Amino acid sequence: MAGRYGRPRSVLRMRTVAGQVFLLQVAIVVLLVAAAMTALVLQSRTDAEREATNRSVAVAETFANAPGMERALKSPHPTVILQPLAEAARKRSGVDFIVVMNTEGIRYTHPKPDRIGKKFVGNTAPALAGGIVTEKIVGTIGPLVQAVVPVFDNKGHVIGLVSAGITIARVSGVVDDQFPLLFGAAAGVLLLTTGGTAVVSRRLRRQTHGLGPAEMTRMYEHHDAVLHAVREGVIIVGDDQRLLLANDEARRLLDLPADVEGRPVADLGLDPVTARLLISGRMVTDEVHPVGERLLAVNQRSTDRDGGPPGSVTTLRDTTELQAVTGRATVARGRLKLLYDAGTEIGTTLDVVRTCEELAQFAAARFADIVSVDLSEAVLRGEEPTTAGIEMRRTAVAGDQEHLALYPLGKLIRFEPSTAVGSGIAEGQAVLETDLAAFSGWQRQDPQRARRLVADGLHSMIAVPLRARGVILGVAIFWRSAATPEPFEEEDLSLAEELVARAAVSVDNARRYTREHTMAVTLQRSLLPRGLPAQNAVEAAYRYLPAQAGLGGLGGVGGDWFDIIPLPGARVALVVGDVVGHGLHAAATMGRLRTAVHNFANLDLPPDELLWHLDELVTRMDQDEAAGGTEGGVTGATCLYAIYDPASGHCTMARAGHIQPVLQLPDGTADFIDVPGGPPLGLGGLPFETWDMSLPEDSRLVLYTDGLVEDRDRDIDEGMALLIRTLAGHTDRTPDETCEEALGALLPERPADDIALLVARTRVLDSTHVADWDVPPDPSSVAHIRAAAVAKLGEWDLADEAFTTELILSELVTNAIRYATGPIRVRLIRDRSLICEVSDRSSTSPHLRQAATTDEGGRGLFLVAQLAERWGTRYMAGGKVIWTEQSLAGEGAFGA
C-alpha cells in the first residue's frame, strides 16, 4: 500500500487516522463473528447430546411398553421372539442399538448376534428399581448416549430391562450439514461489515486527507504559525457572509478589531467596495484596491472546490511601496522592448541606405518625433572610413518634417567642429540638448536655420555618432517637437546610444557587403559578355538575371554564363554554362571556364571534342585546388555547346550535364532537343555525343540554365512544360520578345538561382553569296580556279579583292594538289568578310615557318598569313579545311 508522497506503507503500521480506525473496526467485526461461530458450535454440540438422550429414552420406553413384551420375556425362548422385533424397531427409529435383557442384565437382543447372552455393559440398578437411567459412554462405535428403562408386568413388577443407544455423531450430523451455510453467512456478514467499515474509513480519510493524529496535530500547529506569521492577509468568509477567519496581517491591513470571527462582514466597518468584494465570492486575481492610505493587491477564490466547505478565501498584499518600483520597471521594460524590436526591424537588408531609413523610421515612431541619419561619403560607396570626417551626406529622414528647416535629403553637410555636435562626431561622443531655445552653441552650425527650427517647435535634440569597430560612420540626430512636450533626459541619451550602436553594426555590415558585392559584380561583369559580337549566322538576344541577394552567396554574383562566339566559315558557336553556387569562387570559376571555351573554340573543335577538353581542364582544376589544400573545387559545372553553319543550315551540339535546349521551328511547334546527355564537367571517363540536324531558316534555338525552369515552389518538369507552352505558336516574336515572354511566364518573384537565357533565330546564307568548285588534282587547274574566283568577285562587286584572293587561292590550292589527297574543293563565302576555304581528304595541317633567304620554298603560307586578316585549319570527319578571312570595308548587315 502506498503511503503519503509515494512511500510504501505497511497495512499493520498505518499511521493515518482513517487507517487506524479501519483496522480497529475490522478487528472488532472479526472477533464478533468468531465469538458467534464458537457459540453456535458449542450450542450445536449441547443440542446434539440432548437430542441423543431424548431419542434413546423414547425408543427404549416405546419398545419396553410394546404389546407382547411381557409374554415374550416369559416365553421359553425370548431371543427368538424379541431379536427380529428389536432389529426392526432399531432400523425404523434410527438408533444404533436396542438391547432387551433380563433383570440380571443378560442380553436377549443385540445388533450383533454374538453379543446375545452376554451381560449388558452399563448401569442398570436404577432401572431395576423402577427408574430410568441415561448415561454418556464411549463404546466400540464411538461416543454415545444410552438409556435403560424397566419392563413391568401387569402387577407392576420389573420383569426385564430395555436399553436403547445412539451415537452423538449420528445426531450431530444434521447440524454439521448446516455448517457451510452458517460459515457462508458468517463470511457474508464479515464482508458486509468490512465494506461498510471501508466506506466509513474512506469518508474519514477524505476528511482528514490521509493524515495521522501526530500529523494532524503538527499540521494544525504549522497552519496556525504560518497563518499568523505570513506577511500576507488571509480572510475566510462563509456562505452566510460571516467572517470565519482573519489572520494578524489581515487585521492590521484592514484595521479589524480582535473579536471579528463569526460576525457579518457588513458589520466590520470596512469601506463599501472592500465589503462587497469580500461577500461577493467572485474570483479575483491581483486586483489593486485602495484601503485607507494603502494599495492592496487582492486575490480571491472559492473554498467549495474539490468538496470543500462553501465560502471564499481572500488574500491581501500591501503593494504601496511597490508602485513606484513598478513604474520604473515598466519604463525599463518598455526600453528593453524597444531595443528588442529595433534588433528585428533595423538591418533587415544588406543595404546601407535602407538600413539608415529603417533606423530613422523606427526611432521616429517609437522614440523621437523626427530623426535624421547622415553618413560619410566613403560609407555610402562601401569604402572603409579611415578617419572621422565632419562632412556627411543626409541619407535618411523620418517623421513629420514638413515645413521644417531641416537639411534636405541628399545634401552634403559639413558639421562645424566648434559646435557640440561637430566635436561629438569627431570624438565619438553623444550630445544631449535638453532646451534648444537656450541656444547654448548648437546654433553656430547654421544660426538662421536654428532659429527657424526652434520657431517651428523643435525643443530638444540628441545627436549620436554611428560608430562601429572604432570608426565613425555617420551621425543620427533625434528631435522632439511640440507633439512631445517632455524634453530628452539622460536616460533617453543612454537609450539613444544603445539604439544607434545596434544600428551602426547593421550599417557597417551593409557597407562591407556593398564593398564585397561591388567587387564581385565588377568581377562578374568583366567575365560576362558586354554585348553580342558582330555575326550574320543568327539573330540573337539574351538575358542574364542574378539571384536575389540573401538567397545564396552574394546576391547578383553567380556561376551561370553564356556566349556567342563567331567561328570561321561564317559559323557561330552558342554556349550556355552553369557553375553551381554563388559568390566570388563561382564567378571566378565561371570566368576560367568561359575563357577555356573561347580558346578551344578558336581551335575550331567540334562540340564533343571541345567538351572533352573542357572536362579535362575541370579535372585538373580540381586536382590543383585539392593539392593546394582548398575545399572550393568545381562541383556541378555543366555546359551546352552548339555550332551553327548558316551556309548549310547545319547545327551540331553536345551537352555535359546541362539541361536540354528547346527548338522552335518556323511553323510554331516547340519541343526539347534530344541531345545525348553527357556527365557534368569534371567527372571524366565517359564520352560526349553530338546531335546533328539541318535547321530551316527562322528556327529558334533556346538555350538556358536551370534557374529559369526550376524554383523552390515549382518542380523542374512543371517549369519545362511551361516553357514549351510559352514558346509554342508564336513565330512573329523577335528573339528579344521571346526572352521577355519567357521571363514573364517563368521568372519567380525572388529568384533563388541565376538565370541565363539565350535565344538565337537561325539564318541561311543566300546561295548567290556562296560559290564552290571541285578542283581536279592537276596543277594546271589552279589557273581555272583563279579565273572563276575573279569572275565571282566581279559579280559581288569585290573586284578590289581579286588580286589578294588570287594569291591566297593559288597558294592554298597548289599546296593541296601537291601534298594532300583528293578530292579537293574550293568555296568562297561572302559574309561580313570574304571567306576562302580549301578542303581535302588529308589530315595533315600546313605549318607556318619563316623561310631563310637561301630557301627556294616555304614562303607561300607566310604570304597567306600576311594577306589574310585571319587564317586557320579545322578538321572534319573526312579531312580538313584551310580557311582565310579578308575584311570587307563597308560590309555590315546580313547579305549587304
Side-chain angles (χ1 to χ4, degrees), residues 567-570 833-836 868-871 883-887:
L567 298 178
S833 61
L834 180 61
I835 302 170
C836 299
E869 184 178 3
R870 294 194 307 159
W871 76 279
W883 56 269
T884 64
E885 289 186 3
Q886 300 164 245
S887 61

Side-chain angles (χ1 to χ4, degrees), residues 139-402:
T140 58
I141 58 177
L144 57 85
V145 175
Q146 65 182 9
V148 181
V149 300
V151 179
F152 297 96
D153 58 8
N154 53 5
K155 296 180 180 181
H157 298 135
V158 177
I159 61 174
L161 301 172
V162 175
S163 175
I166 185 171
T167 60
I168 296 175
R170 181 183 292 271
V171 178
S172 62
V174 177
V175 178
D176 292 343
D177 292 340
Q178 301 299 321
F179 277 168
L181 178 60
L182 296 176
F183 281 111
V189 171
L190 180 61
L191 291 176
L192 182 61
T193 54
T194 303
T197 302
V199 171
V200 174
S201 298
R202 183 177 181 183
R203 176 64 179 177
L204 182 59
R205 183 165 56 252
R206 283 203 304 267
Q207 295 294 330
T208 60
H209 299 285
L211 300 175
E215 290 175 324
M216 292 182 66
T217 301
R218 186 165 58 253
M219 183 186 70
Y220 174 78
E221 294 172 349
H222 290 172
H223 169 269
D224 189 66
V226 171
L227 183 65
H228 295 287
V230 69
R231 294 291 295 172
E232 187 165 324
V234 179
I235 292 177
I236 299 178
V237 178
D239 61 340
D240 57 355
Q241 301 182 0
R242 290 180 177 274
L243 185 66
L244 301 181
L245 181 144
N247 68 346
D248 295 341
E249 182 68 9
R251 297 170 190 271
R252 184 183 71 83
L253 295 176
L254 298 179
D255 295 328
L256 297 177
D259 54 343
V260 293
E261 281 80 0
R263 294 173 56 182
V265 174
D267 298 341
L268 298 179
L270 301 174
D271 63 275
V273 176
T274 304
R276 283 196 301 270
L277 174 63
L278 293 178
I279 64 178
S280 66
R282 64 184 178 90
M283 187 174 69
V284 173
T285 302
D286 288 336
E287 282 191 6
V288 178
H289 287 262
V291 178
E293 296 181 355
R294 298 186 179 95
L295 291 175
L296 302 183
V298 181
N299 289 271
Q300 185 166 278
R301 295 292 185 272
S302 174
T303 59
D304 59 0
R305 295 187 301 176
D306 301 327
S312 63
V313 58
T314 306
T315 61
L316 309 171
R317 187 173 65 256
D318 191 354
T319 62
T320 306
E321 298 177 357
L322 296 178
Q323 294 303 308
V325 177
T326 301
R328 291 193 294 271
T330 301
V331 173
R333 186 166 56 250
R335 295 178 183 272
L336 290 175
K337 180 67 166 54
L338 185 142
L339 292 176
Y340 172 79
D341 293 342
T344 60
E345 298 183 25
I346 300 175
T348 59
T349 64
L350 291 174
D351 183 89
V352 173
V353 175
R354 180 58 188 159
T355 302
C356 293
E357 291 174 349
E358 291 173 345
L359 169 61
Q361 292 168 1
F362 179 84
R366 303 280 295 273
F367 178 65
D369 297 323
I370 301 170
V371 180
S372 62
V373 181
D374 309 318
L375 291 183
S376 170
E377 290 273 44
V379 174
L380 290 173
R381 293 192 301 267
E383 299 174 2
E384 183 80 21
T386 55
T387 58
I390 57 176
E391 286 191 349
M392 306 281 179
R393 188 169 297 277
R394 180 131 298 177
T395 307
V397 180
D400 187 11
Q401 75 272 13
E402 188 176 1

Side-chain angles (χ1 to χ4, degrees), residues 467-753:
R467 186 172 184 173
R469 298 180 295 108
V471 178
I472 303 300
L473 308 177
V475 61
I477 304 178
F478 305 91
W479 310 82
R480 278 189 178 172
S481 64
T484 306
E486 298 81 7
F488 286 118
E489 300 175 351
E490 289 293 335
E491 292 184 355
D492 296 320
L493 178 64
S494 61
L495 177 62
E497 289 178 327
E498 181 66 24
L499 180 63
V500 172
R502 298 190 180 197
V505 175
S506 299
V507 171
D508 188 55
N509 289 338
R511 178 200 62 78
R512 298 171 68 182
Y513 169 79
T514 300
R515 182 186 61 185
E516 300 278 345
H517 179 67
T518 302
M519 294 171 54
V521 169
T522 302
L523 171 64
Q524 188 182 41
R525 286 176 179 173
S526 67
L527 298 176
L528 287 173
R530 299 295 181 87
L532 296 178
Q535 50 82 33
N536 290 333
V538 294
E539 179 188 359
Y542 68 90
R543 295 291 187 275
Y544 180 83
L545 298 178
Q548 287 278 349
L551 297 180
L554 295 170
V557 181
D560 292 12
W561 91 91
F562 66 93
D563 248 322
I564 298 179
I565 306 173
L567 298 178
R571 296 169 304 138
V572 68
L574 306 175
V575 189
V576 172
D578 184 4
V579 176
V580 175
H582 299 83
L584 293 176
H585 182 267
T589 303
M590 176 269 289
R592 298 173 68 181
L593 295 183
R594 180 171 178 260
T595 302
V597 170
H598 272 268
N599 292 333
F600 293 144
N602 288 334
L603 297 177
D604 216 344
L605 298 175
D608 55 338
E609 291 188 24
L610 184 142
L611 292 181
W612 182 80
H613 285 290
L614 198 61
D615 181 71
E616 289 278 310
L617 174 64
V618 172
T619 301
R620 289 196 300 272
M621 290 168 58
D622 283 340
Q623 292 173 351
D624 293 343
E625 293 186 2
T630 61
E631 299 180 356
V634 183
T635 57
T638 65
C639 183
L640 174 66
Y641 186 82
I643 297 177
Y644 176 68
D645 186 357
S648 62
H650 189 71
C651 181
T652 61
M653 65 178 67
R655 63 188 180 102
H658 201 79
I659 196 167
Q660 290 179 335
V662 176
L663 173 62
Q664 183 184 15
L665 297 175
D667 61 0
T669 59
D671 201 356
F672 295 105
I673 303 176
D674 191 15
V675 182
L681 299 175
L683 295 183
L686 297 177
F688 299 97
E689 300 181 31
T690 59
W691 173 88
D692 298 271
M693 185 175 179
S694 293
L695 303 180
E697 191 172 8
D698 289 334
S699 298
R700 287 171 173 80
L701 290 170
V702 181
L703 284 62
Y704 54 94
T705 55
D706 56 0
L708 179 66
V709 294
E710 186 177 19
D711 186 58
R712 64 186 65 188
D713 299 325
R714 181 181 60 207
D715 187 74
I716 187 171
D717 293 334
E718 180 184 351
M720 296 176 71
L722 179 58
L723 176 62
I724 292 296
R725 292 196 300 269
T726 304
L727 298 176
H730 297 279
T731 59
D732 55 340
R733 293 174 180 164
T734 65
D736 193 76
E737 292 172 345
T738 301
C739 289
E740 288 297 323
E741 291 296 329
L743 290 179
L746 294 162
L747 183 65
E749 182 178 353
R750 291 177 60 84
D753 196 6

